[in-house]
Amino acid sequence: MSAPLKVALLGCGTVGGAVLRLLDQQAEDLAARIGRPVEVAGVAVRRPDRHPEVPAHLLTTDAHGLVTRPDVDLVVEVIGGIEPVRSLLLAAFEAGKSVVSANKALLADDGSALHHAAAKAGVDLYYEASVAGAIPLLRPLRESLAGDQLRRVVGIVNGTTNYILSRMAETGAGFTEALAEATELGYAEADPTADVDGFDAAAKAAILASLAFHTEVTAADVYREGISAVTATDVARAAEIGCTVKLLAICERVAPAGEDAEGGDSVAVRVHPAMIPTTHPLAAVGGAFNAVFVEAEAAGQLMFYGQGAGGEPTASAVLGDLVAVARNRAAGVAGPGVTTYAGLPARPIAETPTRYHVSLDVADKPGVLATVAQEFARNGVSIATVRQDGHGDAATLVIVTHSAPDAALSRTVTALREMPAVRAVTSILRVEGLS
Amino acid sequence: MSAPLKVALLGCGTVGGAVLRLLDQQAEDLAARIGRPVEVAGVAVRRPDRHPEVPAHLLTTDAHGLVTRPDVDLVVEVIGGIEPVRSLLLAAFEAGKSVVSANKALLADDGSALHHAAAKAGVDLYYEASVAGAIPLLRPLRESLAGDQLRRVVGIVNGTTNYILSRMAETGAGFTEALAEATELGYAEADPTADVDGFDAAAKAAILASLAFHTEVTAADVYREGISAVTATDVARAAEIGCTVKLLAICERVAPAGEDAEGGDSVAVRVHPAMIPTTHPLAAVGGAFNAVFVEAEAAGQLMFYGQGAGGEPTASAVLGDLVAVARNRAAGVAGPGVTTYAGLPARPIAETPTRYHVSLDVADKPGVLATVAQEFARNGVSIATVRQDGHGDAATLVIVTHSAPDAALSRTVTALREMPAVRAVTSILRVEGLS
């Protein structure tokens, strides 16, 4: 058997620890699948004294020295964050090393600089673990669906927010209460901002959109709304219309319409809470699971489901990439790079077609519905359904619109708030997945 | 841009027609993704006069001549069946052509001969379209999960039988009636044997098991029971215990137990109808959809869902493979082959652990349950649940067992049939997915 494949590991937290364990447990199988054994060349950490489980001679604080060491073939990066990781990976590429990364933030911040550096060096950059943990998703998008035209990718890609929203639905709790429970149980971090405000999902959406549409999409192109404004009322209203609330990452290829009909397609990428019908396949995705729904021209609807986080599932994705890189090296090639030939423009949220659910408390007298309906019409928003429930001298209107540019919907809601007949706008959420 | 990639198409039925359409519609995108245009070099059919939609100069009846033509780079085979396809593909490999095939029967009959021929010639053999149509499944198994240890692959991989069983559950119809409806609507072929008797699912199970367990598994290794013996009573009994009946393809890596505890793992592959809980993710897979559930050591549970058949979805999978082959050719390599290093023995159904549901009509007198329970115990089968319903001077016993070797369960049922206290065995089906 050939000389071992030497792996430098950057970072040794939950995922890094699992990678080391699996490399050990599956050593024989990996060697058989790759054609040569895998050997850990070194593990770069900040505090070597905190890693008694790693043989001392492997530990180093000199990450740069490790990734450029002549005997290292492959760098596995599970540190996360932008710097110093970006510099380390660029140094690794320059030194001719392939990289397997789980770093969504870095890939979404400026993936194309990394791809270019890898391509220039003739090495691989794989990052299946960066989105939806163990679920094979990036390789299917890059390769299996490479002969198809993707229309939409819609996913539940953040376990923390999915857990919180699931608990809100189950218990009727508000956001703050459900977040407190999630924190206590370890489903949310001490500082939950990245999850709760949608930054994590937005980074993943950027990565998915880039691959799906062969276009450079960064986190800055993604419209982002978190779940902290979702109320118990929103969740209750959703249930009343046969829906459930989920934080969705939505990547769409949008055809030009109206005045733009002359132009080409654009790409709309957004992360926000939305009501989806309980019959939609994504509605049943509970707790910390992830799922991604894909619509392609020829393949039709596909769904990928599995564990979106955790040490072992993420490590499984890392090792899958490791095997791929090793096989490429054995063949003396780099795998197919990422193509961005389509270069589709990003569509701002204001011009992106969406649908709204709006619940209003209104005075219960004749003509109120007409006044409200007029306001929608004035903004060019067509109403799909209205339900009117009287209670005492007040009534509730529950309105679901047809698809319209987000700005038009947003203007309508602003106007409704100022209408004398409207006592309160009690719930507004976008709606997805209705036919 | 480089010289075109020249493709020979073998067969031009539903899938072949869709391949030609998509090659035309997506010509620009494919060229951008591959780095060179794709050109159809020829289409081999039996009756050229039946294909007015194909330019006449491309049509030929000489398939062998076409696959060995010096200008052809890649052969796409969508004829199906064993011969003459096997000979044609071997000739193609020998002539240095890569092959993309949708042919499950051929791959399951003797895939390893084809893999060896491809490896010897240094070319690719891809066949994503052979299992579960458009669902990216084989590439995830071969590549994404290559760093993990698979335990189980359980799938609904035949749309015709899934449609029939879904209709039986919805309408209370028997098998014959539901089959007649499926035939009338075009969901079942005039000769439905391949689907209804489980041959189609067994071929797919063999392909899945080979990839999942790095072991040569052929259709002959697969235990196979179709759905023609499933009765309306079976379906009703399933509903009573919170289950639904599905035709499952089950590929398992089984650890040795009992007397064999010294031996190593083996592979059990089987296709049969089974009751699964309605809460199981596979239970909701209706009509002509396919879904495959995967359990891996580190990745945990994964599910892949989508359209399992049809021209366009299958063509999407073919074109994904075509892009992969083209990229490999551009890099001057063949993709990673299939590994069979594990060489795990096939476990016969008799020794495979399964669970049974058994419904009995028995005399309603004291001691019957004890007698019946004794028979299970005598065969070493442990009972999980029993429900006893009296009606008149007869009673019904509904028994769900724990896991036991299939032969022990089968012996038990034979003995029960001969027991004076048992008036009739009204329903027997295996049960899967219960915790």
Side-chain angles (χ1 to χ4, degrees):
Chain A
M1 196 167 276
S2 328
L5 179 86
K6 292 201 150 190
V7 175
L9 180 64
L10 304 186
C12 195
T14 312
V15 177
V19 167
L20 286 180
R21 260 195 319 283
L22 292 179
L23 281 177
D24 183 48
Q25 279 167 21
Q26 311 200 359
E28 261 183 69
D29 278 299
L30 290 170
R33 292 173 196 176
I34 292 172
R36 59 199 282 208
V38 178
E39 191 182 305
V40 178
V43 181
V45 294
R46 261 191 304 183
R47 303 277 306 263
D49 55 308
R50 297 208 179 156
H51 299 278
E53 77 287 5
V54 181
H57 72 279
L58 293 178
L59 288 167
T60 175
T61 55
D62 179 12
H64 188 274
L66 180 62
V67 302
T68 52
R69 243 171 64 183
D71 63 324
V72 165
D73 296 300
L74 167 67
V75 174
V76 170
E77 184 268 309
V78 289
I79 299 176
I82 309 287
E83 280 299 347
V85 179
R86 185 205 308 270
S87 309
L88 289 171
L89 299 194
L90 291 174
F93 291 138
E94 208 159 310
K97 323 297 187 193
S98 286
V99 170
V100 172
S101 171
N103 193 328
K104 60 200 162 259
L106 180 58
L107 266 301
D109 181 62
D110 185 11
S112 75
L114 296 169
H115 283 296
H116 285 137
K120 198 176 149 204
V123 296
D124 286 321
L125 167 60
Y126 284 0
Y127 44 98
E128 182 69 66
S130 67
V131 182
I135 310 174
L137 193 56
L138 305 194
R139 185 171 279 103
L141 287 179
R142 277 169 82 153
E143 302 181 24
S144 309
L145 291 163
D148 209 330
Q149 195 75 257
L150 272 72
R151 281 277 145 208
R152 271 180 128 229
V153 179
V154 181
I156 294 173
V157 294
N158 181 274
T160 304
T161 48
N162 200 45
Y163 178 83
I164 292 171
L165 292 171
S166 299
R167 290 301 290 163
M168 287 174 72
E170 284 157 22
T171 66
F175 167 75
T176 314
E177 201 181 327
L179 170 61
E181 185 198 313
T183 311
E184 199 177 358
L185 294 173
Y187 290 119
E189 297 188 34
D191 176 0
T193 313
D195 294 318
V196 161
D197 289 348
F199 290 100
D200 174 84
K204 292 166 177 169
I207 294 172
L208 291 174
S210 300
L211 297 178
F213 305 124
H214 301 269
T215 287
E216 234 178 279
V217 178
T218 72
D221 298 320
V222 181
Y223 173 77
R224 180 185 51 74
E225 256 175 53
I227 64 162
S228 55
V230 175
T231 64
T233 306
D234 292 332
V235 173
R237 286 280 182 277
E240 284 167 21
I241 60 167
C243 285
T244 184
V245 178
K246 294 288 184 189
L247 181 70
L248 298 181
I250 304 172
C251 316
E252 287 174 310
R253 182 172 180 139
V254 185
E259 302 165 16
D260 312 329
E262 298 295 300
D265 288 358
S266 55
V267 166
V269 190
R270 50 197 164 108
V271 167
H272 56 68
M275 296 181 178
I276 57 172
T278 51
T279 51
H280 192 283
L282 289 177
V285 176
F289 272 81
N290 278 193
V292 176
F293 200 75
V294 174
E295 284 177 45
E297 211 66 58
Q301 301 185 325
L302 301 167
M303 194 169 82
F304 302 79
Y305 171 91
Q307 295 189 56
E312 304 265 315
T314 309
S316 168
V318 166
L319 291 202
D321 280 352
L322 184 147
V323 171
V325 170
R327 287 171 172 170
N328 289 339
R329 285 189 86 91
V333 299
V338 164
T339 57
T340 56
Y341 70 87
L344 302 177
R347 197 177 184 90
I349 182 71
E351 297 164 23
T352 300
T354 63
R355 300 181 68 170
Y356 272 37
H357 151 274
V358 184
S359 290
L360 307 170
D361 282 353
V362 295
D364 188 12
K365 37 186 191 185
V368 173
L369 175 55
T371 317
V372 166
Q374 224 162 24
E375 188 55 43
F376 279 88
R378 219 174 53 80
N379 288 290
V381 176
S382 158
I383 290 175
T385 61
V386 183
R387 209 188 64 225
Q388 187 162 203
D389 292 324
H391 52 87
D393 63 340
T396 306
L397 285 185
V398 177
I399 297 163
V400 176
T401 74
H402 281 299
S403 185
D406 201 84
L409 289 156
S410 161
R411 268 200 310 276
T412 311
V413 172
T414 307
L416 291 176
R417 284 189 201 281
E418 288 167 6
M419 223 176 252
V422 173
R423 300 180 172 204
V425 177
T426 55
S427 168
I428 311 168
L429 270 186
R430 293 187 184 83
V431 184
E432 290 289 324
L434 285 182
S435 54
Chain B
M1 195 167 277
S2 329
L5 178 87
K6 290 200 151 190
V7 175
L9 180 65
L10 304 186
C12 197
T14 311
V15 177
V19 167
L20 285 180
R21 261 197 317 283
L22 291 179
L23 281 176
D24 183 49
Q25 278 167 22
Q26 311 200 0
E28 261 183 68
D29 278 298
L30 290 170
R33 292 172 196 176
I34 293 171
R36 57 199 280 208
V38 178
E39 191 181 306
V40 178
V43 181
V45 294
R46 261 190 303 183
R47 302 279 303 263
D49 55 309
R50 295 207 181 159
H51 299 277
E53 76 288 5
V54 181
H57 72 280
L58 293 178
L59 289 167
T60 173
T61 55
D62 178 13
H64 188 275
L66 179 61
V67 303
T68 53
R69 241 171 64 182
D71 63 325
V72 165
D73 297 298
L74 167 67
V75 174
V76 169
E77 183 268 309
V78 290
I79 298 176
I82 310 288
E83 282 297 349
V85 178
R86 186 204 308 270
S87 309
L88 288 171
L89 299 194
L90 291 175
F93 291 138
E94 207 158 311
K97 322 298 188 194
S98 286
V99 170
V100 172
S101 171
N103 192 328
K104 59 199 162 260
L106 180 59
L107 266 302
D109 182 60
D110 185 11
S112 74
L114 295 169
H115 283 296
H116 285 138
K120 198 175 149 205
V123 297
D124 287 319
L125 167 61
Y126 285 179
Y127 44 98
E128 182 69 66
S130 67
V131 182
I135 309 175
L137 192 56
L138 305 195
R139 185 171 279 104
L141 287 179
R142 278 170 80 152
E143 302 183 23
S144 309
L145 292 163
D148 209 330
Q149 195 75 260
L150 272 71
R151 281 278 143 205
R152 268 178 132 233
V153 178
V154 181
I156 295 173
V157 294
N158 181 273
T160 303
T161 49
N162 199 45
Y163 178 84
I164 293 172
L165 292 171
S166 299
R167 290 301 290 163
M168 287 173 72
E170 285 156 20
T171 65
F175 167 76
T176 314
E177 201 181 325
L179 171 61
E181 185 198 313
T183 310
E184 199 178 356
L185 294 173
Y187 290 116
E189 297 186 35
D191 176 0
T193 314
D195 294 317
V196 161
D197 289 347
F199 289 100
D200 174 84
K204 292 167 177 169
I207 293 171
L208 291 174
S210 300
L211 297 177
F213 305 123
H214 300 270
T215 287
E216 233 178 279
V217 179
T218 72
D221 299 318
V222 181
Y223 173 76
R224 181 185 49 75
E225 257 176 51
I227 64 162
S228 55
V230 175
T231 64
T233 306
D234 292 333
V235 173
R237 286 280 182 277
E240 283 166 22
I241 61 166
C243 285
T244 184
V245 179
K246 295 288 184 187
L247 181 71
L248 299 181
I250 303 172
C251 314
E252 287 175 310
R253 183 173 179 137
V254 185
E259 302 163 18
D260 311 330
E262 298 296 299
D265 288 359
S266 55
V267 165
V269 189
R270 52 200 163 104
V271 167
H272 56 68
M275 296 183 179
I276 57 171
T278 52
T279 51
H280 192 285
L282 288 177
V285 177
F289 273 81
N290 278 195
V292 177
F293 200 74
V294 174
E295 285 176 44
E297 212 65 59
Q301 300 185 327
L302 301 167
M303 193 170 84
F304 302 80
Y305 171 89
Q307 295 189 56
E312 304 264 316
T314 308
S316 169
V318 167
L319 291 201
D321 280 351
L322 182 147
V323 171
V325 170
R327 287 170 172 171
N328 288 340
R329 285 190 87 89
V333 299
V338 163
T339 57
T340 56
Y341 70 89
L344 302 176
R347 197 177 184 89
I349 182 71
E351 297 164 22
T352 300
T354 62
R355 300 180 68 171
Y356 271 40
H357 150 275
V358 184
S359 290
L360 307 171
D361 281 351
V362 295
D364 188 11
K365 36 185 191 185
V368 172
L369 176 55
T371 318
V372 166
Q374 225 160 24
E375 188 55 42
F376 280 87
R378 218 174 54 78
N379 287 290
V381 177
S382 160
I383 290 175
T385 61
V386 182
R387 209 188 64 225
Q388 186 163 204
D389 293 324
H391 52 86
D393 64 339
T396 306
L397 284 184
V398 178
I399 296 162
V400 177
T401 73
H402 281 298
S403 185
D406 201 84
L409 288 155
S410 161
R411 269 200 309 277
T412 311
V413 172
T414 307
L416 290 175
R417 284 189 201 281
E418 288 168 6
M419 221 174 255
V422 173
R423 301 182 172 203
V425 177
T426 55
S427 167
I428 311 169
L429 269 186
R430 294 188 184 81
V431 184
E432 291 290 324
L434 285 182
S435 53

